[in-house]
Amino acid sequence: VALNGRDCSVQRRHQKIIEEGPPIAAIPEVWTQMEQAAVALAQAVGYANAGTVEYLYSEQDAKFYFLELNPRLQVEHPVTEMITQVNLPAAQLQVAMGIPLDNIPEIRQLYGRNRFEEDPAAPESRIAWESAQRIPPNGHCMAVRITAENAEAGFKPTSGGIQELNFRSTPNVWGYFSMDSSGSIHEFADSQFGHLFASGSDREQARRNMVLALKELSIRGDISTTVDYISKLIELDDFIDNRID
């Protein structure tokens, strides 16, 4: 089954810095084709469990092109979890245990069915995936990677100690960091050291929640970060209107 999707068009050095879902760039008919193609690919190679199929989408002619299949969870998987209300790691474990997809409570709920059935094996308890329809997405979610990079120097990675890192999660924004105020970024480590996720009833509300979260995030130390750059980027009219080239 396809668990909706995410848009990662905003990138630097061919790596995403903002990811959001559900995608709104593709027209609904083409998005349905993309989901169906992703399921068909997984079936064709006998792939079982969670994976991410990536496409390049062309708005001019409404066509999509296959890029890769990542046979794993990606760090932005909370975006999918927030808009589908499916706990992906828990679902992975249940699949590994041999539990059919239509017996996983959160998957059943996603398709408008009761979470549990008295007789899960009964024909009326099963889900016909070819014709089943998902319930609408649960609002919108936006993810931002926090990296130790200098945006004014071509996103050159920086390293050094951190004297202050202050962030507080709220009901609409959740975040995690790989270090605290006594940590440091090693010069040979990956530059990402944090991730923020903002949800809302729609894309604009999720964006506004992210704007506020970035403004309240305080990082002080020997490193440069992309926080100010992304704060300005997501307040540009082109981003607000989703006119991303």
Side-chain angles (χ1 to χ4, degrees):
V1 296
L3 300 180
N4 215 297
R6 306 188 297 264
D7 185 334
C8 59
S9 298
V10 181
Q11 303 189 8
R12 55 83 177 93
R13 294 194 287 111
H14 305 293
Q15 288 186 318
K16 64 193 76 171
I17 52 176
I18 300 176
E19 189 156 334
E20 59 182 298
I24 60 175
I27 59 178
E29 296 79 6
V30 175
W31 178 248
T32 298
Q33 296 174 19
M34 296 168 78
E35 290 187 319
Q36 292 172 342
V39 172
L41 172 61
Q43 291 174 332
V45 298
Y47 181 74
N49 225 302
T52 304
V53 176
E54 295 192 2
Y55 297 110
L56 179 65
Y57 178 69
S58 171
E59 285 190 289
Q60 288 75 18
D61 51 12
K63 291 184 178 181
F64 60 96
Y65 305 89
F66 172 74
L67 290 177
E68 61 179 341
L69 165 61
N70 289 308
R72 55 177 170 80
L73 284 184
Q74 292 184 299
V75 292
E76 283 83 10
H77 73 86
V79 172
T80 298
E81 296 188 31
M82 289 182 182
I83 64 176
T84 64
Q85 299 294 283
V86 174
N87 184 323
L88 292 180
Q92 282 187 290
L93 288 173
Q94 292 174 84
V95 169
M97 293 165 61
I99 298 176
L101 284 174
D102 53 9
N103 284 350
I104 297 177
E106 291 177 347
I107 299 292
R108 293 183 58 81
Q109 187 171 274
L110 181 63
Y111 281 84
R113 307 292 287 272
N114 293 329
R115 289 174 61 88
F116 301 98
E117 294 286 351
E118 291 186 7
D119 183 4
E124 61 271 19
S125 299
R126 308 310 299 267
I127 298 178
W129 302 114
E130 296 78 10
S131 57
Q133 297 293 318
R134 291 193 312 260
I135 63 175
N138 179 48
H140 198 93
C141 182
M142 193 169 292
V144 166
R145 293 187 180 190
I146 306 300
T147 61
E149 297 174 343
N150 186 342
E152 296 181 355
F155 296 96
K156 180 180 179 181
T158 63
S159 60
I162 296 177
Q163 283 78 53
E164 177 189 355
L165 198 163
N166 187 13
F167 172 76
R168 183 179 63 211
S169 292
T170 69
N172 296 315
V173 180
W174 173 76
Y176 68 87
F177 294 86
S178 59
M179 61 197 60
D180 57 19
S181 297
S182 61
S184 61
I185 305 293
H186 196 280
E187 62 180 316
F188 298 112
D190 187 272
S191 60
Q192 182 180 356
F193 65 99
H195 222 151
L196 300 186
F197 299 86
S199 59
S201 57
D202 53 26
R203 184 177 187 269
E204 177 57 17
Q205 188 59 56
R207 187 194 67 83
R208 290 183 180 182
N209 289 338
M210 181 61 77
V211 168
L212 182 59
L214 290 170
K215 288 181 178 179
E216 293 185 343
L217 172 61
S218 175
I219 302 174
R220 182 172 56 85
D222 302 324
I223 62 172
S224 297
T225 74
T226 51
V227 173
D228 289 342
Y229 175 86
I230 296 176
S231 295
K232 296 175 183 177
L233 188 154
I234 64 177
E235 294 205 75
L236 295 175
D237 290 340
D238 282 344
F239 185 89
I240 294 174
D241 297 333
N242 202 37
R243 296 193 304 267
I244 302 170
D245 186 352

